[in-house]
């Protein structure tokens, strides 16, 4: 049973480009969470999704950021028109149910140049 | 004031020492997590607990719900324990608790040989 898989591990984008970050949850897990870790800051919740539904996106910036978790395939965090301030580590976690232990992926480190 | 506070922020220990990292929180919670993050690495869930005490190998986690306080102990510390240790909580009563975690800022532990 593979763990939570995130790809790519490292992503470099120029200002104005789009970044797409992927997260494949553990087998049997239908709850996915995205967190962001800005340089020199702690982790912050971004969004909570179940299959085909966004449950809580209260931590998502209002513009340029979106997330989805389709019926088939991985969860995607999409950042349009990236800016330098988007440079961060983005972590995904999954759990089998709403309030059970979540397992984290290795993260995607986004660098905007 | 952060809803989850950790102390100390930085900790240097000699190999073999007993280590304690503390976490205090100011919100109602349904569970508390201790996480480990190596520099540039992913996040590993060490413990999820809602009461009492848990032990795994050389690691022990305790929680006092009345005092809103948790501790992570490492016995017989080793250089490979060097990492950032992060406390996080599931907030209670937020439409039912979820893994919308609130994180502490982490404790950077360095164990010297």
């Amino acid at each position: 049973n593979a763990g939570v898989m995130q790809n790519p591990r490292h992503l470099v984008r120029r200002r104005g480009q789009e970044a797409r970050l992927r997260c494949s949850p553990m087998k049997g897990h239908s709850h996915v969470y995205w967190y962001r870790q800005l340089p020199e800051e702690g982790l912050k919740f971004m969004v909570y999704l179940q299959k085909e539904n966004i449950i809580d996106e209260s931590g998502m910036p209002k513009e340029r950021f979106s997330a989805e978790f389709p019926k088939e395939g991985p969860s995607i965090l999409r950042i349009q028109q990236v800016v330098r301030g988007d440079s961060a580590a983005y972590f995904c976690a999954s759990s089998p149910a709403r309030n059970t232990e979540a397992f984290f992926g290795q993260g995607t480190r986004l660098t905007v140049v | 004031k952060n809803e989850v506070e950790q102390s100390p922020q930085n900790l240097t220990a000699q190999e073999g020492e007993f280590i304690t990292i503390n976490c205090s929180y100011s919100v109602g919670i349904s569970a508390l997590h201790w996480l480990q993050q190596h520099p540039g690495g992913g996040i590993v869930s060490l413990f999820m607990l809602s009461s009492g005490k848990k032990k795994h190998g050389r690691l022990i986690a305790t929680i006092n719900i009345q005092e809103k306080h948790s501790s992570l102990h490492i016995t017989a510390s080793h250089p490979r324990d060097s990492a950032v240790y992060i406390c996080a909580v599931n907030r209670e009563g937020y439409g039912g608790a979820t893994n919308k975690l609130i994180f502490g800022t982490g404790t950077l532990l360095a164990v010297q040989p």
Side-chain angles (χ1 to χ4, degrees):
Chain A
N1 188 7
V4 178
M5 304 300 292
Q6 289 189 249
N7 67 81
R9 291 289 305 278
H10 299 274
L11 181 61
V12 179
R13 283 287 176 266
R14 295 187 184 278
R15 279 178 295 172
Q17 290 185 318
E18 178 179 286
R20 291 171 72 89
L21 288 61
R22 294 174 184 77
C23 170
S24 296
M26 288 180 70
K27 188 176 180 180
H29 288 195
S30 60
H31 298 249
V32 165
Y33 311 83
W34 286 93
Y35 303 94
R36 179 165 68 171
Q37 188 175 42
L38 291 165
E40 309 302 324
E41 291 189 25
L43 286 150
K44 294 282 196 301
F45 167 81
M46 297 183 77
V47 62
Y48 163 34
L49 309 106
Q50 277 186 273
K51 283 286 188 181
E52 300 184 273
N53 289 305
I54 297 173
I55 307 301
D56 184 337
E57 57 181 346
S58 58
M60 289 277 270
K62 293 288 184 276
E63 297 176 348
R64 302 187 296 108
F65 284 71
S66 62
E68 62 177 9
F69 188 14
K71 188 176 180 181
E72 302 290 336
S75 175
I76 306 286
L77 180 67
R78 183 180 176 210
I79 312 171
Q80 294 178 288
Q81 298 176 310
V82 295
V83 301
R84 288 231 171 98
D86 297 332
S87 296
Y90 292 82
F91 289 93
C92 165
S94 73
S95 64
R98 186 180 174 89
N99 193 28
T100 53
E101 186 172 10
F103 295 84
F104 285 80
Q106 290 290 306
T108 293
R109 279 149 181 86
L110 172 66
T111 302
V112 179
V113 297
Chain B
K1 189 179 189 301
N2 292 336
E3 292 169 304
V4 180
E5 297 273 0
Q6 285 185 238
S7 63
Q9 285 191 323
N10 295 281
L11 181 56
T12 299
Q14 294 297 310
E15 184 172 356
E17 284 186 4
F18 180 83
I19 288 163
T20 296
I21 299 171
N22 295 299
C23 175
S24 297
Y25 52 91
S26 57
V27 295
I29 69 167
S30 60
L32 181 142
H33 304 251
W34 282 102
L35 311 169
Q36 181 193 56
Q37 184 178 26
H38 284 98
I43 295 170
V44 175
S45 177
L46 299 175
F47 295 103
M48 177 181 176
L49 64 165
S50 55
S51 65
K53 177 179 174 178
K54 285 190 175 180
K55 184 176 189 292
H56 185 252
R58 296 180 294 106
L59 301 178
I60 303 166
T62 63
I63 187 168
N64 184 319
I65 296 293
Q66 286 73 31
E67 294 186 4
K68 294 189 174 180
H69 180 269
S70 175
S71 293
L72 176 69
H73 305 285
I74 305 175
T75 61
S77 59
H78 190 276
R80 66 174 173 265
D81 297 326
S82 298
V84 175
Y85 291 84
I86 303 168
C87 173
V89 301
N90 295 73
R91 193 169 189 164
E92 184 182 62
Y94 190 82
T98 73
N99 282 310
K100 179 184 177 180
L101 299 176
I102 305 170
F103 297 87
T105 52
T107 294
L108 176 59
L109 171 65
V111 181
Q112 297 178 339

